[in-house]
Every structure is written in C-alpha cells, then in structure tokens.
Amino acid sequence: MGSAATATTRHRGAGRPWWLVERHLLVYRRSWSVFVADVTEPLLYLIAIGLGIGSLVGEVAGTGVPYARYLAPALLATSAMNSAMNEASQRVFMRIKLEKTYQTMITTPMTVRDIQFGEVSWAVLRGLATTAGFLVAATAMGLVRSPFALLAIPAAALVGFAFAACGLLVATLLRSWYDYLYLQLFMLPMFLFATTFFPLDRFPDAVRPVVQALPLYHAVTLLRQVCLGRIDQHAALSAGYLLLLGLAACALAAGRWRRMLQS
Amino acid sequence: MTSAHREPLLVEGSGLGKTYPAGPGGAAVPAVRGLDLELRRGEALGLLGTNGAGKSTTMRMLAAVSPPTHGTLRVFGLDPLHDGPRIRARLGVVPQDDMLDQELTVRENLVVYGRYFGLPKRVLRERAERLIEFAALEAKADAPVTALSGGMRRRLTIARALVNEPEILLLDEPTTGLDPQARQLLWDRLIRLKNDGVALIVTTHYMDEAEQLCDRVLIMERGALVAGGSPRELIGAHVLPEVLELRFTGTEHAAGCAAVKELIAEGAPWRLEVLPDRLLVAAADGQDAQRRIEARVLPRASLVRRATLEDVFLALTGRALVE
C-alpha cells in the first residue's frame, strides 16, 4: 500500500487549519440550535431591557441616544465575545480532556500551530455568524441606522479573535468543570459592568480605571462607536487593545499547547 | 532476515533518549535512554516491556509527535524535529486509547481524519468504502462511533490509521481488552498489511502476539533496551529450549521443590523457577528431566513444552509486578 501515499498526500501547510474548520462545520451542520441560542439570548436582553426598561429611561444623558440604540451595540459586542469564548474554552476544554481530539490530530500532518489557528478561526467564524444574525435583527428593529454599522462586522471579528485567543489559553488552565465556575465568576460581572448597560460617567472616579481595564469595555466601546457612527480616537485605542490582547493570549497559549500535546 | 536487510531502511535511531522535565517536587527521570533501533520496509518490530518501560514514549518519538531529548532519529531519512508534517503524512498511528471522534459517524471518522492529511474528498470517499469493508464494519458505516463495541472501535481505529496508505503503522497495544475472536481478526488484518509491504511497530503485553506477528522483538526495561532479536534468537540466547511444568497436590509442593533442587545440586543442567501453584524447570531435554524427577517424587500433573517468548520476557524482566 505504501508507494501511492507520497503521490496523493499533500503537504500544503497553509491549508491545514482549514481542515479543522471543515470538521467543525460538519458537526455544527447537525446542531443549528447552538447558533439559534447564540442569537436569541442577546435579542431577549435587547427587547426586555433595551425596549422595556429603555421606555422608562428615554435618552441616555449626555449622548442624546435612545436607550435601546445605546444598548444594542453593547449586546452585539457581548454576543461576539460569548460565542467565541464559549467555543474556545468550553468546547476546546472538552476536546482536550474528554475527547482527546487534538492528541489524534497531531499524529497527522497537522501541527500544534495549525490546530490553534484552526480553532481561533472557527471561533471567530462562530462569533461572526452570531453578530451578523443579531445585527440583522437589530437593524430590522430600527436600532441601527448609521451606514458605519457595516464596520461592526470586522469589529466583531476582532472581538471574536481576542476572546477566542483568551479562550484557548483558559482551556489549558482549567483543571475540571469546577474551574469553569471561576471563569463565570469573572465573565458575569464583566458583562454587567463593562459599560454594557450604562456609561462610564455613572461609576465612581476610583472604579473607572478598573472598568477601563476590562477587555469587554473595549469591545463595547469599539462597537458602540461604530454602530452609532460616532467614531473618535477611543475606537482606535480599543481596537489596539483587543489586537494586543489576542496576540498576547495566542503567544502564551502556544507554549502551553505545545507542552500539553508534544511532551 | 537476510532478505529483509535488502529492503530500504525506514527508521534509524541511535542513542535515542527522552527525559521529561522534573515535575513539582520530583527529579527528572529518563523515560527512554540509549535506544538503538532500525526498521525496514515490510518488517514487523515488537516492543515489549512492563508498564513504564518506555514503550509508549518510544512510540511517540517514532511518530514524530514527541521530540527526543537525546540521540539521533531519522524516519524516512528525515529529521522529525524539522520535517514532522512530512513524516507524519506517511505514518499510520493506532493509539492505545482509540481516540475516535465522538461527534462523527464511522464513515465520517475515516473521511475527516483523511482530510487532516490533505487528501481530496473524492479519494477519501472511495477509500472510506474500502476501509469499512477491511474493518468489517459495513453494517455500522453510518452509525455514530458511540454505538460500536470495543472490538469494532479497535478495527475502526486501525482502518483510520490506514486512510493515508502509510508505509509504517505504529500500533500501541492493539489487542488489549479484545476477546479472542476479535484478536484473531485483527492479527489477520495486520498480517495482510505486512504482506503488502507495510512495516509494523507493535507494543504489546501478549507474548504470543509478539511471537506471531513480529520478525524482531526489543525487550525494554526502565527505559533501556535489555535484549533484541527474532523471537527464536531470543529464546536460544536467554532460556533453555524446553520447559517442564510440574504441579503438586498442596503439601507435596515443597517436597517436589526440594527434590528438583537436590537434582540440580547433583549436577542436572536445569534452571528452577518456583511459582505458587507449580514449578517450572527449564531444560535442554524436558523429557529427560521429567523422567529423572518423577523417579524421586510424583507430581499430580506434568507437561513438557517448548520455551516461549514469555519465558524469555519473565527471565529478563523478573516476575515482580510493576505498577
């Protein structure tokens, strides 16, 4: 059987991460419910809090923007974060600990770098799908008006990248499902206080730097500026923060993944 | 063996070693040290050793997954450190735990795994068909792998390892946990592959398996090679050719033991090994030993058999249980 192998096996290194994405596509074709759940959750928040409570709030002080339009981009950022983060931490953790998917993959021409690149790409794609679904719904509800909102797609991809990279790092740090609860202990307050529901000037002065250090704060800032069409230097600053966070997490994760799979 | 030497050399390792970095509170212990090995096309090499002897670490190094920390290794003439993907493209790996993709069906497992090698889907669809037949899994082709029995999972894992038509197949304890029928079926498949020119490297705890499948065997202990050669050569070099097994009724056991020891003291060229339930007397002529012993003490049952690889293994690595 041997001689034919070299003729048919290709070594196109560039294509390898895609083969992992292809595997995930095959599996997710059977589980559309995940996508539906990802889009539904932020929509429910948008209706209950954005439109419901928003009708009591009126405009957000100092911005002249109705509350629902103020909230929508923040929920967009959160859903891009959650779907990328959940994919890259929860699912990847299962594949590491339970399913040993990667231990199998590294016996093929796939390298650890290919696997990481594939997983990040897949998580970004999932984040993008969620974002696009939510953006369409929010636009239909009249909550997105600026043509700049189209920039929300690449912005959400950047948010997805940063959190997918963090997820890959976190997945190597979790020892069991109980550790996952600690992660939620960080994610939930971040969701509530990263200027998702109210602006930075509502926080006491002493707390503001803490809020501004949160990754989600920068994701929210970036998407809010883009969706409202009010872009200033803060958007660039936040984009830079997310890019650096993603690259740093990738670099840290690379070492841990190599030790985990190739020792 | 002489014909095998003319076949091209596929694996060449010399002074191969792997030391894992020290864990918290522990010193770094070499998992494998000073291992020399080579493998030619169509050859079957067995790696034997107790748990922790370094078999799996050796397999991971040969599979270009875990880089060696000492010595040199060439697989297909390439360096695993720099040409890992190119080497792995020509290897088939059957891991100890099946590690099948739980989210996919039998057929999808073959096709998706083949995609990791960059093989076109059209080629893979056709190969998956052939491999499903090879693994005798036609009835389960579209079932989720979670619905397979242990033997079926093992066969699928082997079929999966063949999807890239490898030149070397690495099998880590391929038949552990299988019933005798499933083992026979697997051996049959492996012998067919070997006849097709695929080189095999097998780790196993079953000495009959090594004797049946392997042209050459390496016996490892605590990371180092203790003996190597064909099963026949090893038997010739390390144990006497025949074994007399003697069983006594309860209290007679000690008397029988004493009688054999006496004969050995008088010059009988045997080696005695005392087990809880029987005595093993290694001898050049088993029947002669049987006659001489039975003249002094009568066992409940006695049997002369040829020495096996298991006798070699136990003589070299001892009988103490290794955890």
Side-chain angles (χ1 to χ4, degrees):
Chain A
M1 293 185 80
S3 59
T6 37
T8 45
T9 306
R10 296 177 207 163
H11 314 290
R12 292 174 313 185
R16 291 197 296 252
W18 171 249
W19 301 329
L20 176 59
V21 174
E22 229 182 54
R23 179 227 170 255
H24 291 343
L25 278 172
L26 180 68
V27 172
Y28 276 77
R29 241 177 21 197
R30 290 194 281 258
S31 37
W32 273 103
S33 54
V34 177
F35 175 73
V36 174
D38 276 356
V39 177
T40 309
E41 196 187 296
L43 275 179
L44 291 177
Y45 274 105
L46 184 61
I47 292 165
I49 296 171
L51 296 176
I53 296 177
S55 69
L56 304 175
V57 175
E59 289 185 350
V60 177
T63 62
V65 175
Y67 188 69
R69 280 186 59 205
Y70 178 82
L71 181 63
L75 292 174
L76 193 62
T78 307
S79 69
M81 169 184 83
N82 279 338
S83 52
M85 186 77 182
N86 288 343
E87 177 68 30
S89 62
Q90 228 172 309
R91 289 293 308 135
V92 166
F93 176 71
M94 294 236 324
R95 289 187 201 116
I96 291 171
K97 288 278 165 167
L98 267 76
E99 298 164 15
K100 317 264 180 203
T101 316
Y102 306 119
Q103 279 91 327
T104 304
M105 281 181 195
I106 52 155
T107 64
T108 74
M110 300 267 266
T111 63
V112 175
R113 187 192 300 249
D114 295 331
I115 293 171
Q116 270 195 294
F117 197 64
E119 285 295 4
V120 169
S121 309
W122 169 247
V124 169
L125 279 179
R126 241 193 83 175
L128 272 181
T130 311
T131 309
F134 182 80
L135 198 61
V136 167
T139 310
M141 289 159 78
L143 297 173
V144 177
R145 290 182 189 156
S146 164
F148 282 111
L150 280 177
L151 283 175
I153 299 286
L158 180 60
V159 173
F161 163 70
F163 284 99
C166 289
L168 285 195
L169 180 61
V170 166
T172 67
L173 297 168
L174 300 177
R175 288 157 304 176
S176 71
W177 278 118
Y178 297 107
D179 286 349
Y180 193 72
L181 296 176
Y182 289 116
L183 179 65
Q184 294 312 313
L185 227 52
F186 174 71
M187 296 295 280
L188 183 64
M190 181 160 76
F191 167 54
L192 291 174
F193 299 113
T195 69
T196 323
F197 294 100
F198 48 91
L200 191 63
D201 58 30
R202 299 287 125 174
F203 286 94
D205 284 346
V207 182
R208 282 182 205 172
V210 179
V211 174
Q212 284 175 301
L214 294 173
L216 184 59
Y217 168 79
H218 294 279
V220 168
T221 303
L222 179 62
L223 277 156
R224 189 169 276 152
Q225 293 211 345
V226 158
C227 286
L228 295 177
R230 298 175 180 182
I231 302 170
D232 60 24
Q233 76 278 13
H234 286 102
L237 212 65
S238 290
Y241 175 101
L242 292 169
L243 187 66
L244 283 179
L245 175 69
L247 291 175
C250 270
L252 284 175
R256 292 190 62 85
W257 276 66
R258 210 156 278 135
R259 273 198 295 284
M260 180 177 71
L261 290 173
Q262 288 187 323
S263 65
Chain B
M1 285 308 288
T2 40
S3 72
H5 274 212
R6 259 177 260 127
E7 296 285 354
L9 198 57
L10 301 181
V11 178
E12 214 179 348
S14 81
L16 214 52
K18 174 99 195 177
T19 303
Y20 292 107
V29 178
V32 173
R33 56 205 154 100
L35 185 65
D36 297 324
L37 58 79
E38 55 178 49
L39 179 76
R40 289 171 189 276
R41 186 176 176 276
E43 199 183 12
L45 178 68
L47 290 180
L48 307 184
T50 49
N51 289 330
K55 305 185 300 289
S56 293
T57 302
T58 304
M59 290 294 248
R60 286 167 60 79
M61 288 193 284
L62 298 180
V65 167
S66 170
T69 51
H70 300 90
T72 58
L73 177 63
R74 287 275 177 285
V75 185
F76 306 118
L78 302 168
D79 179 358
L81 207 58
H82 299 110
D83 289 309
R86 283 178 66 195
I87 292 171
R88 294 196 295 269
R90 298 162 69 184
L91 295 178
V93 175
V94 178
Q96 204 171 318
D97 317 314
D98 294 309
M99 300 201 242
L100 294 163
D101 198 325
Q102 306 284 325
E103 293 181 295
L104 303 176
T105 67
V106 167
R107 191 192 309 273
E108 286 168 351
N109 256 281
L110 296 170
V111 172
V112 168
Y113 190 74
R115 285 297 283 162
Y116 299 154
F117 288 86
L119 296 165
K121 282 188 188 136
R122 173 183 44 79
V123 172
L124 287 170
R125 268 193 290 271
E126 180 259 327
R127 274 190 201 173
E129 234 30 69
R130 262 194 297 138
L131 288 170
I132 285 167
E133 197 182 314
F134 174 87
L137 286 172
E138 291 95 333
K140 296 278 184 181
D142 294 304
V145 293
T146 42
L148 301 184
S149 72
M152 291 174 174
R153 294 170 60 83
R154 219 67 196 117
R155 296 203 305 271
L156 178 58
T157 307
I158 292 180
R160 185 182 66 176
L162 296 173
V163 77
N164 59 324
E165 304 194 330
E167 292 158 76
I168 304 174
L169 192 58
L170 296 150
L171 303 116
D172 202 355
E173 298 189 17
T175 61
T176 297
L178 296 188
D179 60 39
Q181 284 83 355
R183 283 178 79 194
Q184 287 294 339
L185 184 63
L186 262 184
W187 286 358
D188 169 74
R189 296 299 193 257
L190 293 177
I191 288 164
R192 268 167 55 183
L193 286 168
K194 187 167 153 358
N195 291 340
D196 286 339
V198 178
L200 308 176
I201 302 182
V202 189
T203 74
T204 181
H205 285 303
Y206 301 110
M207 298 302 138
D208 54 335
E209 184 161 280
E211 234 171 319
Q212 284 235 3
L213 285 176
C214 301
D215 304 304
R216 272 188 312 123
V217 169
L218 303 178
I219 297 178
M220 295 177 71
E221 197 181 28
R222 273 181 253 121
L225 194 64
V226 288
S230 74
R232 279 289 118 211
E233 284 168 0
L234 285 172
I235 291 165
H238 297 282
V239 290
L240 293 161
E242 294 189 335
V243 177
L244 170 64
E245 295 198 9
L246 300 165
R247 284 164 204 271
F248 295 92
T249 37
T251 49
E252 297 282 286
H253 189 75
C257 187
V260 177
K261 278 180 178 159
E262 225 172 76
L263 281 161
I264 291 173
E266 287 166 21
W270 309 329
R271 242 187 338 244
L272 171 68
E273 194 160 355
V274 185
L275 301 185
D277 64 325
R278 67 207 141 115
L279 304 179
L280 299 181
V281 182
D285 184 343
Q287 281 188 336
D288 172 63
Q290 191 176 30
R291 242 186 355 262
R292 289 171 63 187
I293 292 168
E294 286 180 3
R296 298 201 181 184
V297 57
L298 203 63
R300 178 167 58 86
S302 71
L303 155 88
V304 177
R305 60 168 173 83
R306 292 183 65 180
T308 65
L309 201 52
E310 184 143 0
D311 298 306
V312 175
F313 184 74
L314 293 175
L316 289 175
T317 63
R319 287 187 190 272
L321 184 63
V322 180
E323 294 294 354

